[in-house]
Amino acid sequence: MNFLFIYSLNVAGSENKPLESPEQIQFGISYISSFLKKHGHQTKLVVLSGNSPENNRKILDEYFKKFPAKLVCFTAVSTEYQFTADTAKYIKEKWPNAYLLIGGPHVSLNPNRVLSDSFDALCVGEGEYPALELVSQLEKGARPSAIPNLWIKRGSKIEKNLPRPFLHNLDSLPFPDRKIWQEWIEERPGARYSVLLGRGCPFQCTYCSNHALKKLASGSYVRFRSPDNIIAEVKYIINKFPIQKREIYLEVESFGVDKKWAMELCS
């Protein structure tokens, strides 16, 4: 099945190359895309800039013409949500048969505020397995139902499915899909690539949303990938994206939470 991701940025670079570095890729989309590809589905990505509404519509029209997606997936933080919702409205009006799914921090923490917009389903929490189950049901022509983590619209009613536990073994996921981002990046020498080391944070800082996100599901919220798995991804980046100058940024909420793991990775 064809699966199209839409990533919207209010602040971006050029109209056709909105991203200025590989570091700016969004990990939620990247992991779900690689997970779906692993299971035999085709994925594409469109990156839209808030600076150019007319060009955005042109880009969407061109992509839907050459890649008729059955399922369109969005993600949003709060500052980008209205732009994303407006994009979804345009797609639903022009291609009413496309099934629209949205996830991300804003949706996970404010699902009731999103229900009135053009989306057919909301993902509350992690999205790899919910997306795969949704694609599988749509592929069979079934009406989506009983998918943990998803709130599904049924006319005037909402099917609010229970959350599934946080994914425990992060090593079980394929590396994030970086290839779908390449056409949207104005890459320059000295590119910086981020490698996500884990998920979650144990602290409860007042300026952050982690303390709320960890209440969405059961199981351990703070999880780390194994050092071997991380190093394998670094080697993959070096082999697949060769450039003269490159920086690898090891990204995680709190590196020193598990000192034994941190020392093993450093070694």
Side-chain angles (χ1 to χ4, degrees):
M1 178 176 287
N2 289 346
F3 192 112
L4 182 65
F5 292 97
I6 307 287
Y7 186 50
S8 303
L9 290 171
N10 275 317
V11 179
S14 67
E15 292 181 355
N16 297 319
K17 298 279 188 178
L19 304 181
E20 298 177 348
S21 167
E23 185 184 3
Q24 292 178 292
I25 72 170
Q26 205 273 342
F27 277 118
I29 287 175
S30 305
Y31 271 106
I32 294 172
S33 177
S34 63
F35 192 68
L36 290 172
K37 284 182 175 179
K38 179 182 176 181
H39 289 85
H41 300 286
Q42 300 295 319
T43 69
K44 292 283 187 180
L45 169 70
V46 170
V47 179
L48 303 178
S49 168
N51 300 331
S52 178
E54 292 185 5
N55 191 59
N56 289 339
R57 289 191 286 270
K58 179 181 177 182
I59 291 173
L60 289 170
D61 291 346
E62 290 176 352
Y63 261 79
F64 270 89
K65 184 177 180 179
K66 63 184 179 182
F67 189 76
K70 176 67 176 178
L71 179 59
V72 183
C73 186
F74 304 79
T75 186
V77 294
S78 295
T79 52
E80 309 288 348
Y81 177 72
Q82 191 55 56
F83 178 23
T84 303
D86 292 342
T87 302
K89 182 180 179 182
Y90 175 77
I91 292 174
K92 181 58 75 174
E93 290 174 349
K94 193 155 187 180
W95 298 279
N97 291 328
Y99 197 93
L100 308 188
L101 170 68
I102 185 168
H106 179 79
V107 175
S108 293
L109 297 177
N110 304 278
N112 288 304
R113 299 181 186 178
V114 179
L115 292 172
S116 60
D117 289 315
S118 301
F119 307 102
D120 297 296
L122 322 177
C123 182
V124 179
E126 294 174 318
E128 287 88 359
Y129 282 95
L132 179 62
E133 290 181 27
L134 177 60
V135 170
S136 299
Q137 291 190 16
L138 290 173
E139 197 172 36
K140 296 174 183 176
R143 188 178 184 182
S145 180
I147 302 175
N149 282 29
L150 294 194
W151 288 23
I152 301 170
K153 288 183 181 179
R154 292 187 172 278
S156 61
K157 296 183 179 180
I158 306 296
E159 178 187 310
K160 299 180 180 181
N161 293 292
L162 294 174
R164 66 186 72 216
F166 290 116
L167 181 62
H168 175 69
N169 182 13
L170 299 183
D171 286 5
S172 67
L173 296 174
F175 298 150
D177 185 357
R178 300 175 188 274
K179 292 182 179 179
I180 58 170
W181 296 91
Q182 293 305 298
E183 66 177 298
W184 306 103
I185 300 173
E186 191 73 57
E187 192 165 334
R188 303 165 186 174
R192 188 176 182 180
Y193 288 80
S194 289
V195 175
L196 191 64
L197 308 187
R199 296 182 180 182
C201 180
F203 301 115
Q204 300 189 44
C205 303
T206 55
Y207 56 81
C208 186
S209 61
N210 270 299
H211 66 282
L213 290 170
K214 71 179 180 182
K215 297 176 183 177
L216 294 177
S218 61
S220 177
Y221 179 59
V222 181
R223 295 144 290 161
F224 296 101
R225 297 166 58 193
S226 70
D228 286 345
N229 187 251
I230 293 166
I231 297 304
E233 184 180 351
V234 171
K235 291 180 178 179
Y236 171 82
I237 292 172
I238 292 170
N239 291 330
K240 293 295 183 180
F241 305 98
I243 52 178
Q244 290 184 342
K245 294 183 179 179
R246 175 181 35 241
E247 183 174 314
I248 304 292
Y249 174 49
L250 303 181
E251 182 176 344
V252 74
E253 295 278 10
S254 297
F255 187 80
V257 169
D258 184 335
K259 292 183 180 179
K260 181 180 178 181
W261 166 86
M263 293 302 293
E264 184 181 352
L265 176 60
C266 288
S267 70

